[in-house]
Amino acid sequence: MWVAGVRRGAGRLVRLPRAAVLDLLIGVAVSAVVAAAITANLGGDRGRDVPAYLFAVGLGALVLLRRRAPTTVLVVSAAGLVAYYVAGYPPVGLALPLAAALYSAAEAGQLRWAVLVGLGLLVVSTAFRTADGASVAYLIGFELASSVAIMAAAVALGDGVRSRRLRRREQRWRLRQLERDHAREAARRVEEERLRIARDLHDVIAHHISVISLHAGVADEALDDDPAAARAALGHVRSATTQVARELRTTLGLLRDPAAAEPRQPVAGLAGLDALAAGARATGLRIAVHRQGELTGLPAAVDSTAHRLIQEALTNTLRHAGARTVEIDVVRGADTLAVAVRDDGRGRHEDTPRGYGLGGMRERTALLGGTVTAGNRPGGGFEVRAELPLGGTT
């Protein structure tokens, strides 16, 4: 039965929080050290009695409160120790009874209180002991030195533990902050990629659907009178349809499983400007392309953006303008690439459908730090102009 009781007590102790168990062990140790000094009865006007041992128990019990009120525990312990000595009980030292309280105050960040209380006790104790006739050489040379060493070690240990805890807390905070930053950056990149895919898909599909629609109209009109022209127009329809289907398949695969998706074809740059113009000419538009400056070696982002801007402008012309002629100007300057697309159509009116084309142009250009302007021309028609910074390239 005795063994079973011990096991039950040990089980209850294990279930206690680790900090509570540690404080309990420290409190028991403090009470035991003070009780041993009282039992030794090395001096004092009064002998060892029940109040002296109650003082030892109380000093240890205060340790249980050291985490909640470290400063209060330190001050009450110091005051109790002074009262104990004033009552004339056997000496128990200063450093060991107060070591746990000094450590706790320093650990809680109350370093000033720990230092002031420790110094105050040392001064008061030395003064009273000297007045009682104790040897000054013994007090200062031996007892004071050992007491200072133990007190300083307790304070330094508590402050060191606090500093390490603060460093660990700061490291954890920085790690969480870094993880949040990484998560935000990943979300931003996902959003940018989503917008890029949406813009690309809009540009490609809108352009080819416009081409399909116009060529289908040409084929319908030429079916009876000019079968060769009708077949040519249907060939353009088939080609544009194939490209749209491929782009849709690739984009949907990318959205479902980026790792398994077919590789996306690189966005054509200004090197594909003639092919872009030829496709629009096949619908009956007269297109003039003017180039100025060296257009090779452009930054990839600028090159592809210029191509997309021209493609979108041509798409709008095919769908809405009713134009007969289009002029495309591409001018490379020292620091910028200027792009302009002008038509002689009916321009924009209040009832003109507003899609995502111009908004997509502005988004693409803004990502590069450029500008886009679009509006009706004074003599009729519509014009889109864009300036794209080259980023210091030559």
Side-chain angles (χ1 to χ4, degrees), residues 228-239:
R231 282 194 295 271
L234 290 175
H236 287 296
V237 170
R238 186 181 302 109
S239 175

Side-chain angles (χ1 to χ4, degrees), residues 117-151:
V117 171
L119 287 176
L121 276 179
L122 289 172
V123 170
V124 171
S125 173
T126 303
F128 271 96
R129 296 284 298 279
T130 303
D132 288 342
S135 171
V136 176
Y138 171 80
L139 290 176
I140 298 178
F142 176 75
E143 190 170 293
L144 184 62
S146 60
S147 297
V148 169
I150 295 174
M151 288 182 170

Side-chain angles (χ1 to χ4, degrees), residues 210-249:
S210 298
V211 171
I212 290 170
S213 177
L214 288 172
H215 281 298
V218 171
D220 182 59
E221 293 177 1
L223 188 60
D224 295 328
D225 301 331
D226 191 351
R231 282 194 295 271
L234 290 175
H236 287 296
V237 170
R238 186 181 302 109
S239 175
T241 303
T242 301
Q243 293 183 43
V244 169
R246 182 185 303 115
E247 184 68 23
L248 278 174
R249 184 172 58 252

Side-chain angles (χ1 to χ4, degrees), residues 5-316:
V6 170
R7 287 179 178 176
R8 285 195 298 271
R12 287 192 294 270
L13 185 63
V14 169
R15 286 194 295 271
L16 288 174
R18 183 177 178 181
V21 173
L22 179 62
D23 290 347
L24 181 61
L25 294 177
I26 294 175
V28 170
V30 169
S31 296
V33 168
V34 174
I38 293 172
T39 303
N41 195 17
L42 298 178
D45 297 334
R46 298 176 60 175
R48 49 195 180 185
D49 55 13
V50 173
Y53 286 108
L54 288 177
F55 167 77
V57 174
L59 203 60
L62 281 174
V63 174
L64 301 178
L65 304 175
R66 72 185 187 92
R67 298 180 190 272
R68 299 180 185 177
T71 305
T72 302
V73 169
L74 175 63
V75 172
V76 171
S77 298
L81 196 59
V82 171
Y84 174 86
Y85 278 117
V86 169
Y89 282 110
V92 294
L94 292 176
L96 291 178
L98 280 184
L102 290 171
Y103 166 85
S104 301
E107 183 190 21
Q110 303 297 327
L111 184 61
R112 180 178 299 179
W113 275 98
V115 172
L116 290 177
V117 171
L119 287 176
L121 276 179
L122 289 172
V123 170
V124 171
S125 173
T126 303
F128 271 96
R129 296 284 298 279
T130 303
D132 288 342
S135 171
V136 176
Y138 171 80
L139 290 176
I140 298 178
F142 176 75
E143 190 170 293
L144 184 62
S146 60
S147 297
V148 169
I150 295 174
M151 288 182 170
V155 172
L157 180 61
D159 189 60
V161 170
R162 175 177 177 273
S163 298
R164 287 194 298 273
R165 184 183 297 123
L166 290 177
R167 281 197 300 271
R168 288 196 298 268
R169 186 180 303 167
E170 184 178 0
Q171 288 172 353
R172 288 194 297 268
W173 180 86
R174 288 182 178 178
L175 181 60
R176 288 194 298 268
Q177 187 67 27
L178 186 62
E179 291 174 349
R180 286 193 293 266
D181 291 344
H182 285 169
R184 283 195 293 266
E185 178 65 16
R188 184 188 66 81
R189 290 182 179 180
V190 169
E191 180 66 14
E192 287 183 355
E193 180 65 12
R194 186 186 68 80
L195 292 175
R196 185 188 69 79
I197 292 173
R199 284 193 296 264
D200 286 350
L201 195 60
H202 169 270
D203 292 348
V204 171
I205 292 180
H207 178 73
H208 288 300
I209 292 297
S210 298
V211 171
I212 290 170
S213 177
L214 288 172
H215 281 298
V218 171
D220 182 59
E221 293 177 1
L223 188 60
D224 295 328
D225 301 331
D226 191 351
R231 282 194 295 271
L234 290 175
H236 287 296
V237 170
R238 186 181 302 109
S239 175
T241 303
T242 301
Q243 293 183 43
V244 169
R246 182 185 303 115
E247 184 68 23
L248 278 174
R249 184 172 58 252
T250 303
T251 302
L252 290 176
L254 180 65
L255 293 176
R256 288 173 179 168
D257 186 0
E262 298 178 11
R264 290 175 61 86
Q265 296 295 324
V267 177
L270 292 177
L273 181 56
D274 289 334
L276 190 62
R281 285 194 189 100
T283 66
L285 276 176
R286 295 191 298 273
I287 298 181
V289 179
H290 308 288
R291 297 177 175 88
Q292 182 177 335
E294 180 58 53
L295 299 184
T296 60
L298 291 168
V302 174
D303 197 19
S304 62
T305 299
H307 177 274
R308 287 302 198 199
L309 292 176
I310 296 172
Q311 183 185 54
E312 181 60 31
L314 285 176
T315 300
N316 290 339

